[in-house]
Amino acid sequence: MKKKGIVLAAVAVVILAAVIVCDFLFNKTVSDTFLAMNTTVSAELTGLKSEAALAEVKEKILHLDEKLLSRTNENSEIYSVNNGKTEVSNELASLLSVMKQLEKNSGGAFCIGVAQLTDLWGIGTEYARVPDEAEIKAAIENCYDWQIDGNTVYLPEGVKLDLGAVGKGEACDHANSTVSFKNCKESVVAVGGSVLLHSTVPKALFKVGIRDPLGEANEYCAVLEIGEACVSTSGNYERFFEDERGNRYHHIFDPSTGYPADSGLMSVTVVTQSGTISDALSTACFVLGIEKSLPLLERYNAQAVFITEDKQIITTYGELENETITVTNDSYTLGEAK
Ligand code: AMP
Ligand code: MG
């Protein structure tokens, strides 16, 4: 009898140990922070092969930056395109087709042909300045006239491409496309203002803080509770400079005027399943303002949270079940987009 008791106890210990080891293996959380796309990338992955998945995600994002999207790296394809190359890879061709479609669907608020304008203002660099009217006019002339036809790209004289408005979201999509990542139980990858939320648990919800545009980098004014998605924010606080009179100029331009967009917003957060689309839409909606953004968001089946200069948080989230937004800073008021 006593012997039987000892055997049972031993079996229980073995089972417990096995459960602990399995739990450790299946729920192993790994994280890393590194620089890519001129910003900080942080990733936290939980799952059986989380370590391998993290290495793969890092490799993919760095590769995407260096080989495809970087405007300053001579080895990248977009650098070559801006310097005369016309035949591009399938990957770049399909991204450029999506960009052209977004340009059309946003009525020109979104336009990647703004590289000359971005360089002219130099916002975020030590050369930031307010250019004169003639310079601005020259920089936006023909910016919509670039074309993509199959794998052939055409740039008019003086037009160069800038994928800064979508690179971070595209990086999230690249992370999401790796099999080992998809197999992770839960993962969050943040590439600057674009955050990818992934879970294999059905109906899992994530809490995402929306930054207070008037606060420090770690201060938020609202919390979104949402399922698997990609969330991108464009804000006037990300990169800007002030002239000697205290006028502020930020980095998101209205391509039709060549000046920083002035649509009454401090930030726009867009939630969709595609990182590239959420990133592009956050930039486009920042330029368009609330009213003109709504049909565009609907077209791409996206939700948005707008923060206006008069401290209103306006959301399209009204009719969704489960997903909620909570304002966490009393100086902001919540409203619904009509
Ligand atoms: P984001 O922070 O995602 O809104 O992207 C802003 C970046 O996109 C800028 O730093 C520019 O490189 C580029 N950009 C600025 N204005 C536009 C625009 N209207 N359409 C597309 N790209 C833009
Ligand atoms: Mg963007």
Side-chain angles (χ1 to χ4, degrees), residues 113-177:
V114 294
Q116 302 285 57
L117 187 69
T118 313
D119 289 344
L120 183 65
W121 282 85
I123 292 171
T125 73
E126 55 186 302
Y127 311 108
R129 68 184 176 98
V130 182
D132 64 44
E133 290 274 350
E135 290 176 295
I136 291 177
K137 209 167 157 232
I140 54 173
E141 207 177 357
N142 309 325
C143 72
Y144 296 117
D145 294 340
W146 68 275
Q147 299 299 340
I148 177 79
D149 181 8
N151 287 58
T152 308
V153 50
Y154 163 75
L155 298 188
E157 180 76 28
V159 173
K160 289 187 194 302
L161 305 182
D162 173 1
L163 292 167
V166 286
K168 299 171 187 81
E170 177 77 0
C172 290
D173 284 346
H174 272 240
N176 211 4
S177 70

Side-chain angles (χ1 to χ4, degrees), residues 71 108-115 117-118 123 162-168 193-194 232-235 238-239 251-256 261 278-280 282-284 286-287:
R71 209 147 66 76
F110 182 84
C111 172
I112 61 166
V114 294
L117 187 69
T118 313
I123 292 171
D162 173 1
L163 292 167
V166 286
K168 299 171 187 81
S194 288
S232 296
T233 300
S234 289
E238 284 166 21
R239 255 180 285 152
H251 71 305
I252 304 169
F253 299 104
D254 181 340
S256 68
S278 76
D279 198 358
S282 69
T283 308
F286 190 97
V287 176

